[in-house]
Amino acid sequence: MDTLSAVMNGFSVALTFENLSLALLGCFLGTIIGALPGLGPSNGVAILIPLAFTLGLPATPALILLTSVYFGAMYGGRISSILLNIPGDEPAVMTTLDGYPMAMKGQAGEALAISGLASFVGSFAAICGLAVLAPQLVKVALLFGPAEYFALYVLAFATLGGITSRNQAKSALAAALGLGVAMIGIDQQTGVPRLTFGQMHLYDGIDFLVAIVGLFALSEVFTFLEHHGSKVDTAGHGSKPVVIGRIVPRLSMIVQTSGSMVRGTVIGFLAGVLPGAGASLGSFLAYGAEKNLKNRDDTFGKGDPRGVAAPEAGNNAAAGGALVPMLALGVPGSGTTAVLLAMLLALNVTPGPLLFTKNPDVVWGLIAALMLANVMLLLLNIPMVGMFVRILLIPSKYLMPTVAMVSFVGIYGISGSVFDLSVMVAFGLVGWLLRKLDVPLVPVIMGVLLGNQMEVNLRRAMTISDGDWSALFASPLAIGLWIVAVAGFVLPIILNMTKRRNRVLMTHNEELAEGD
């Protein structure tokens, strides 16, 4: 049975009233969950798993509901990133870099519309890739061993400085801080507590959601309190008049960002296929590649629509790509697909190579339903842009308490721990201090997110090689990743030094010209 006929059979499964209704419900709930800071797709899916079991849904409808929530949350994460500078989930962190400056320039409507269109392009292309290229891409994913994964994570951290800050030292400091936070807890290999200071609550480590909400949401609240809601309103609200701008993006902007969407989709999908990489890495790599390729006029980080389109296409494509290893190998490609994998196993459906032959209705019905769900998400999100933009009209003195309330309720609802609330407040104070020192927050978050996996893969590589460090550079793929990592760290330093030297020379020449 070829791919086309399999997809057509999948549509016969998806085009039932029950499955269409579940897909629409999942898209709507997912968008709301994604827009709420701190929840994110993995928690949204986990929260709704009891609903799927309560309704007594079979494997296919349950998977359609929860994957629609997953994709809807990936769409929704951009909303608070653009409007409030608070990522709805970790993959949306990169969207804040240009999405929020666009909103501050009166282009909030266009930023939301472009990000919605980019999300659709990335998601739809990823589902088509899942249907057509899954066997070939699985072979590529199998080339990555522990040494290659470690080199990939080093590459991610090495290039952080050139993306999130003009100061490599501050970015390195922030990344080291994030990696240090990731080390907190019981060492999984030796059982020794690390950096717990005798606190039993820290034995399980720091939940990255607590860190994200504290560093982004509460630090915004503290920054607002510092200025007492005066005209110096760093949240971008309050006394500063808000210009909503166009709701429908200009054709020239769509054309300008089309290449970014395509490149972000390809990069994000390939990152998603790698087990454990997830949407965060896809978003980061897509933004980094776009900035390195197109930032000739130094517009990225200042409200460039390409800086919104690339990471949104990347993280949504990575979400679709993460389904490839889950369905074809039984290995989750992200935290959310790990939750989905647990649900499938509970329903006596075993993902892996035999899934496509033993349960074809589940696989192809899911693929067809996700194609329809992406169309639903586009139709839901683009007309609702105007409603989302209206959030900008809320003065900060009303909005910031709401942000604080949602942060506290969301974290307590997830963990049920008062200690986690204290940790969140501590991260909020750290985030506020880092903002004042002009230290970027994104490397801290990336360190918290990727630190554990980076350590696990390093240890696996050392165990396999019996402690031989040369194993980290043994394969051509690993060597290539190390070369790119070194270049990604060194080149921004050289380029910044060159720009500074040119700027000094221009200033000196202007002074000489004025003297003459």
Side-chain angles (χ1 to χ4, degrees):
M1 184 170 57
D2 61 13
T3 301
L4 183 59
S5 61
V7 172
M8 295 310 296
N9 287 338
F11 275 108
S12 68
V13 174
L15 288 172
T16 63
F17 178 76
E18 179 189 30
N19 288 339
L20 285 175
S21 300
L22 289 172
L24 182 60
L25 175 64
C27 291
F28 181 74
L29 292 177
T31 302
I32 294 174
I33 289 169
L36 294 174
L39 281 182
S42 56
N43 289 290
V45 171
I47 290 167
L48 291 177
I49 281 180
L51 174 64
F53 282 103
T54 302
L55 294 175
L57 297 177
T60 303
L63 198 57
I64 288 173
L65 170 65
L66 296 177
T67 49
S68 296
V69 171
Y70 178 22
F71 277 65
M74 298 304 296
Y75 270 70
R78 77 194 203 284
I79 297 169
S80 55
S81 296
I82 292 171
L83 298 181
L84 305 177
N85 200 28
I86 302 171
D89 52 35
E90 63 273 14
V93 169
M94 304 309 294
T95 308
T96 62
L97 299 180
D98 280 282
Y100 187 63
M102 280 188 72
M104 292 302 95
K105 292 196 297 185
Q107 297 177 320
E110 289 179 297
L112 284 169
I114 284 292
S115 62
L117 184 60
S119 298
F120 172 78
V121 171
S123 296
F124 198 84
I127 298 305
C128 294
L130 171 62
V132 177
L133 302 174
Q136 289 78 9
L137 289 171
V138 165
K139 294 176 185 176
V140 174
L142 291 174
L143 295 175
F144 275 73
E148 288 76 19
Y149 275 117
F150 180 74
L152 182 66
Y153 289 128
V154 171
L155 166 63
F157 285 108
T159 54
L160 271 174
I163 291 174
T164 58
S165 174
R166 295 178 182 275
N167 191 318
Q168 290 280 70
K170 288 184 177 180
S171 292
L173 172 65
L177 178 61
L179 289 171
V181 171
M183 297 299 105
I184 295 174
I186 296 287
D187 187 321
Q188 297 299 315
Q189 188 165 327
T190 64
V192 176
R194 300 184 301 189
L195 304 175
T196 57
F197 306 104
Q199 280 285 341
M200 293 286 291
H201 296 286
L202 293 176
Y203 277 23
D204 289 332
I206 300 293
D207 191 327
F208 64 82
L209 287 175
V210 174
I212 287 175
V213 174
L215 284 171
F216 283 95
L218 286 193
S219 66
E220 284 281 354
V221 175
F222 290 141
T223 303
F224 171 75
L225 291 174
E226 179 188 12
H227 297 97
H228 306 292
S230 65
K231 291 183 180 180
V232 186
D233 190 346
T234 56
H237 305 279
S239 59
K240 181 180 178 179
V242 175
V243 181
I244 294 175
R246 297 167 58 98
I247 299 298
V248 179
R250 297 181 298 274
L251 180 61
S252 60
M253 184 178 289
I254 295 175
V255 173
Q256 180 192 17
T257 57
S258 59
S260 306
M261 295 179 194
V262 173
R263 287 184 290 272
T265 297
V266 173
I267 293 171
F269 185 50
L270 293 175
V273 168
L274 300 173
S280 300
L281 188 63
S283 171
F284 164 76
L285 292 176
Y287 185 90
E290 196 63 26
K291 182 176 180 182
N292 290 332
L293 187 65
K294 294 292 183 180
N295 193 29
R296 297 187 182 93
D297 300 323
D298 199 27
T299 55
F300 276 65
K302 301 174 183 176
D304 192 314
R306 294 170 296 185
V308 174
E312 279 301 308
N315 70 40
N316 282 272
L323 294 174
V324 173
M326 187 199 82
L327 295 175
L329 295 175
V331 178
S334 65
T336 310
T337 51
V339 177
L340 292 172
L341 177 63
M343 187 210 67
L344 281 177
L345 293 174
L347 292 169
N348 295 319
V349 176
T350 304
L354 297 178
L355 181 64
F356 285 78
T357 54
K358 285 189 173 181
N359 302 96
D361 288 351
V362 173
V363 176
W364 298 108
L366 171 66
I367 289 172
L370 286 177
M371 289 181 178
L372 297 173
N374 273 293
V375 176
M376 292 178 186
L377 282 166
L378 183 67
L379 296 177
L380 275 174
N381 277 264
I382 298 299
M384 293 169 67
V385 162
M387 183 187 74
F388 296 141
V389 172
R390 293 297 182 273
I391 297 174
L392 279 173
L393 299 175
I394 303 174
S396 285
K397 62 181 179 181
Y398 302 122
L399 183 61
M400 287 298 119
T402 305
V403 169
M405 181 190 71
V406 170
S407 301
F408 277 91
V409 172
I411 293 299
Y412 188 76
I414 293 169
S415 67
S417 169
V418 175
F419 181 80
D420 280 352
L421 297 181
S422 304
V423 173
M424 180 181 68
V425 173
F427 271 104
L429 291 170
V430 171
W432 168 76
L433 179 62
L434 293 178
R435 286 173 187 262
K436 288 183 71 68
L437 297 175
D438 198 28
V439 175
L441 299 181
V442 174
V444 181
I445 293 299
M446 293 298 290
V448 175
L449 288 174
L450 303 180
N452 283 323
Q453 284 301 313
M454 189 175 182
E455 180 190 13
V456 166
N457 282 287
L458 175 61
R459 282 184 160 175
R460 284 177 182 167
M462 291 296 96
T463 302
I464 292 170
S465 66
D466 197 23
D468 184 5
W469 287 90
S470 65
L472 297 176
F473 316 96
S475 70
L477 180 57
I479 293 172
L481 291 170
W482 281 104
I483 291 172
V484 176
V486 172
F489 186 80
V490 173
L491 285 179
I493 297 176
I494 297 173
L495 290 175
N496 285 335
M497 290 174 62
T498 304
K499 286 181 181 178
R500 262 197 307 270
R501 190 180 299 111
N502 291 339
R503 201 176 297 121
V504 170
L505 287 174
M506 287 178 62
T507 305
H508 181 65
N509 291 336
E510 289 174 0
E511 290 175 352
L512 289 176
E514 289 176 0
D516 293 340

